């Protein structure tokens, strides 16, 4: 599975658990670490964990190894490292505070509407 397909599956996995304001940031040419950041948020600890769990499960069902999963127990900012795609699942307040979109404002954004379900 290439990076774009993995990014699209991650966006859909977030949407399946009713994540809000789901975007991908195209990091190609900007970062040597990953090709895409997927960013979204949930409104409760349980929802944030459910979103992250669904992304992890979707990756594993597609034979993509989860290289790292951090922050799951705290459920404030869960990072799921899938290699070419890094998924950031925030609790609403943390997303507003860290504002990754602002840090990478020059990078192209991809929305869920641009991905075929």
């Amino acid at each position: 599975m290439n990076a774009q397909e993995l990014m699209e599956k991650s966006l859909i996995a977030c949407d399946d658990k009713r994540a809000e304001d789901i975007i991908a940031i195209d990091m190609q040419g900007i970062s040597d670490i990953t090709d895409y950041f997927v960013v979204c948020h949930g409104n409760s600890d349980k929802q944030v964990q459910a979103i992250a769990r669904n992304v992890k499960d979707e990756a594993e069902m597609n034979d993509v190894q989860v290289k790292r999963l951090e922050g799951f127990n705290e459920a404030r900012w869960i990072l799921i490292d899938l290699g070419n795609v890094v998924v950031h699942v925030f609790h609403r307040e943390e997303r507003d505070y860290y504002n990754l979109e602002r840090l990478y404002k020059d990078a192209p954004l991809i929305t869920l509407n641009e991905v075929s379900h």
Side-chain angles (χ1 to χ4, degrees):
M1 176 176 303
N2 69 35
Q4 182 173 345
E5 292 168 333
L6 181 56
M7 174 270 297
E8 290 175 357
K9 285 194 177 293
S10 298
L11 285 172
I12 293 165
C14 292
D15 187 52
D16 286 346
K17 293 299 176 183
R18 303 200 189 294
E20 295 189 19
D21 199 12
I22 307 164
I23 61 158
I25 303 171
D26 187 342
M27 300 297 290
Q28 297 174 85
I30 296 170
S31 170
D32 294 333
I33 298 169
T34 192
D35 291 336
Y36 296 97
F37 279 166
V38 171
V39 183
C40 67
H41 69 267
N43 295 308
S44 70
D45 293 358
K46 288 195 182 301
Q47 184 187 22
V48 169
Q49 289 173 332
I51 296 164
R53 190 178 299 110
N54 202 49
V55 169
K56 176 185 172 290
D57 291 348
E58 182 68 27
E60 290 172 346
M61 285 188 325
N62 286 280
D63 296 322
V64 175
Q65 178 187 3
V66 176
K67 298 181 183 308
R68 190 172 208 150
L69 189 134
E70 294 185 18
F72 187 83
N73 292 335
E74 297 82 10
R76 304 307 290 176
W77 177 359
I78 301 176
L79 182 139
I80 308 150
D81 183 352
L82 304 174
N84 293 337
V85 176
V86 176
V87 181
H88 301 268
V89 183
F90 287 98
H91 201 286
R92 179 185 292 277
E93 295 84 27
E94 274 67 18
R95 184 173 187 178
D96 291 342
Y97 180 78
Y98 290 104
N99 199 352
L100 291 182
E101 297 93 326
R102 181 180 43 84
L103 289 175
Y104 299 104
K105 66 181 178 227
D106 295 334
L109 294 181
I110 301 148
T111 66
L112 186 62
N113 294 338
E114 298 172 58
V115 175
S116 59
H117 282 42

